[in-house]
Amino acid sequence: MLTIAALRAHLLAARLAGTVATSREESLRSYRLFAARDPRVLIGLDPEGAWSQRELLELMADRCGVSADSRRTSGQDVIDPQRTVAALDAFAERLADVAQRGAPVLLGTGHPHRLLGFYAALADALSAAGCAVLTPAQGRCVDITTRFGLRTYNLDYVRGVALVRAPGVERPGCEPGAHTHSPLPVRTALAAAAEAGGPLPELVIGDHGWVCGAGQLGFEVIGPADTDDPAPFVGQAEGSVSVVVPLDDGVRSDYYLPLTRYVLNRACLSQ
């Protein structure tokens, strides 16, 4: 079993926490855009509060450990590894609860190149525990606005994890998928599940638009988020998101494997 001390050491060594690659400029820009209600950073969330830039900075300092000093405007951002560990424990508790009930789950990612393996291992463990890992709307087209204009993607599933890929990509069901923060894929999946008469997920696990889009619709959601992604943390503060794990979401995919082992062990789902 990975000890808390070993996990903390790994978080720091892999720069999942501690000083991370996300720049202070990126984070502050996201807080400004969120305060202005820019949909690119709301990613499916409709906040109840006004959330000024100052309030967002204070929230992120509390939930992630970034500096609360608004005069600090450059350099690399920081995530407190103790906050990451505590959030992973809460994440594991939600996994244990849904596994004990054998409840249906939905997993999806907008970072397939980095986080697919993390989610796929969770899907495997939950399936082995008797949970139905849902795959609604497979192959359905999703039109997503990008910086290059409107692009059409196909919703696909790899090892039970939803992602989107550009049409015409060879070897459907395999990597890679496209990077997106859009909430439209999860809305498409949930709408298809409802149209088919269910089942609907009792827990959605994912990142970015998957967390915020499903949470806004009233589903229980958990997932990771970086310092430049305030929306999931706002959702958690307002009650639409259950657990957000603060960590860098852009490191090498194998660096997330110890986190997988840790949460599965804590949830008594180790295989």
Side-chain angles (χ1 to χ4, degrees):
M1 177 181 175
L2 189 67
T3 65
I4 291 177
L7 175 61
R8 185 180 184 279
H10 172 72
L11 291 171
L12 294 172
R15 295 187 65 183
L16 286 156
T19 301
V20 295
T22 309
S23 71
R24 182 69 165 180
E25 292 91 338
E26 289 177 89
S27 296
L28 293 177
R29 177 178 179 273
S30 292
Y31 307 161
R32 286 194 297 271
L33 292 174
F34 189 99
R37 288 297 200 273
D38 190 309
R40 292 174 295 176
V41 291
L42 292 178
I43 54 177
L45 191 72
D46 183 14
E48 297 174 0
W51 292 102
S52 68
Q53 185 179 348
R54 179 65 206 178
E55 289 171 327
L56 290 166
L57 182 58
E58 291 173 351
L59 174 70
M60 298 301 284
D62 177 64
R63 300 299 170 95
C64 295
V66 304
S67 172
D69 186 355
S70 60
R71 296 169 297 181
R72 184 174 179 272
T73 59
S74 61
Q76 302 308 118
D77 241 328
V78 175
I79 294 175
D80 176 8
Q82 294 302 116
R83 287 173 169 84
T84 304
V85 172
L88 286 170
D89 289 343
F91 188 100
E93 288 179 8
R94 303 315 306 144
L95 291 181
D97 177 69
V98 76
Q100 288 168 5
R101 293 183 287 109
V105 296
L106 176 66
L107 299 94
T109 181
H111 277 270
H113 294 82
R114 305 297 185 186
L115 293 168
L116 178 58
F118 172 74
Y119 296 121
L122 302 183
D124 289 345
L126 290 168
S127 177
C131 296
V133 177
L134 306 179
T135 58
Q138 182 159 14
R140 189 78 58 89
C141 292
V142 184
D143 293 326
I144 298 175
T145 300
T146 73
R147 58 180 174 170
F148 306 109
L150 191 67
R151 295 288 186 269
T152 298
Y153 295 93
N154 292 330
L155 186 63
D156 197 6
Y157 289 85
V158 177
R159 293 177 57 194
V161 183
L163 49 81
V164 296
R165 63 175 79 252
V169 173
E170 296 182 359
R171 299 190 305 144
C174 301
E175 289 188 67
H179 173 227
T180 180
H181 289 188
S182 172
L184 294 179
V186 73
R187 290 175 182 167
T188 300
L190 292 171
E195 290 165 6
L200 295 174
E202 293 190 24
L203 180 68
V204 177
I205 306 167
D207 47 68
H208 297 99
W210 283 88
V211 165
C212 293
Q216 186 63 45
L217 293 174
F219 292 88
E220 183 178 11
V221 293
I222 62 175
D226 209 333
T227 61
D228 61 344
D229 295 317
F233 295 99
V234 170
Q236 185 181 32
E238 292 188 341
S240 61
V241 175
S242 290
V243 179
V244 187
V245 181
L247 53 76
D248 190 320
D249 58 13
V251 304
R252 281 174 33 179
S253 58
D254 57 317
Y255 287 171
Y256 298 99
L257 294 178
L259 279 64
T260 306
R261 292 196 296 269
Y262 180 81
V263 297
L264 290 180
N265 191 282
R266 295 281 294 184
C268 298
L269 291 172
S270 297
Q271 299 178 350

